[in-house]
Amino acid sequence: MMKSGAAPTDMPLWRLRWGGRLMVLEAGVALSIAALALKLLPFRHVVWLLIGKAGSAEAPLPCDVAAPQPDAARRVARAVRRASSLLPFPTLCLPQAMAARIMLGYRGHSTVLHLSAQLGSGKNASAHAWLTLNGLAVIGGGAPEGQVEVARFS
């Protein structure tokens, strides 16, 4: 029996209900498609196929990580994180955000995918991606300190 304080992601996959198992499977497929697209296609094609039109990053939306999310967004984020940990290849923030966007779009939710980068010339360049739904972080949690949002896809 599960302890009352245990998170659902701590539960073994085989103990999930069928709906949860199918959502993890869907997330695994979406993550695999996103990762494969990022490996094989030029980025402009990835944007066109999986993300949509590019928006301006001049006026970043506030991102409230602690605010409540719709139930579908929480379930999708949990499934993407679980599937990501089960796949035999690494899936970092961009494929996770893309997979969550695909899954939430299928469920009728309009999301915004954000990209940030550390600007300047340095050996330790870094980038990050996150997904928001109604201004609330679903995957990724916002731009890390020292990075600037460079693109927004809605």
Side-chain angles (χ1 to χ4, degrees), residues 26-41:
E26 177 188 355
V29 170
L31 279 165
S32 299
I33 290 170
L36 191 62
L38 287 168
K39 290 280 187 192
L40 297 179
L41 299 175

Side-chain angles (χ1 to χ4, degrees), residues 7-11 13 16 20-32 65 67 69-101 103-104 128-132 136-142:
T9 53
D10 296 339
M11 191 184 314
L13 186 61
L16 291 177
R21 291 181 200 173
L22 290 175
M23 188 174 278
V24 171
L25 177 64
E26 177 188 355
V29 170
L31 279 165
S32 299
V65 178
Q69 301 172 356
D71 189 47
R74 280 194 301 272
R75 287 185 288 124
V76 164
R78 190 178 320 138
V80 167
R81 284 191 296 269
R82 182 181 289 261
S84 178
S85 70
L86 295 172
L87 289 175
F89 51 88
T91 54
L92 300 176
C93 54
L94 183 55
Q96 288 182 22
M98 291 168 59
R101 180 178 172 90
M103 293 174 69
L104 286 168
H128 183 58
W130 69 98
L131 187 71
T132 58
L136 306 175
V138 175
I139 293 276

Side-chain angles (χ1 to χ4, degrees), residues 42-137:
F43 189 69
R44 69 178 184 273
H45 295 297
V46 173
V47 170
W48 184 78
L49 288 173
L50 296 175
I51 299 175
K53 297 182 285 187
S56 169
E58 294 165 1
L61 294 173
C63 181
D64 189 357
V65 178
Q69 301 172 356
D71 189 47
R74 280 194 301 272
R75 287 185 288 124
V76 164
R78 190 178 320 138
V80 167
R81 284 191 296 269
R82 182 181 289 261
S84 178
S85 70
L86 295 172
L87 289 175
F89 51 88
T91 54
L92 300 176
C93 54
L94 183 55
Q96 288 182 22
M98 291 168 59
R101 180 178 172 90
I102 291 167
M103 293 174 69
L104 286 168
Y106 178 73
R107 287 162 177 78
H109 296 282
S110 179
T111 58
V112 179
L113 194 145
H114 305 264
L115 297 177
S116 67
Q118 185 175 0
L119 301 178
S121 60
K123 293 181 181 179
N124 298 330
S126 62
H128 183 58
W130 69 98
L131 187 71
T132 58
L133 174 65
N134 300 327
L136 306 175

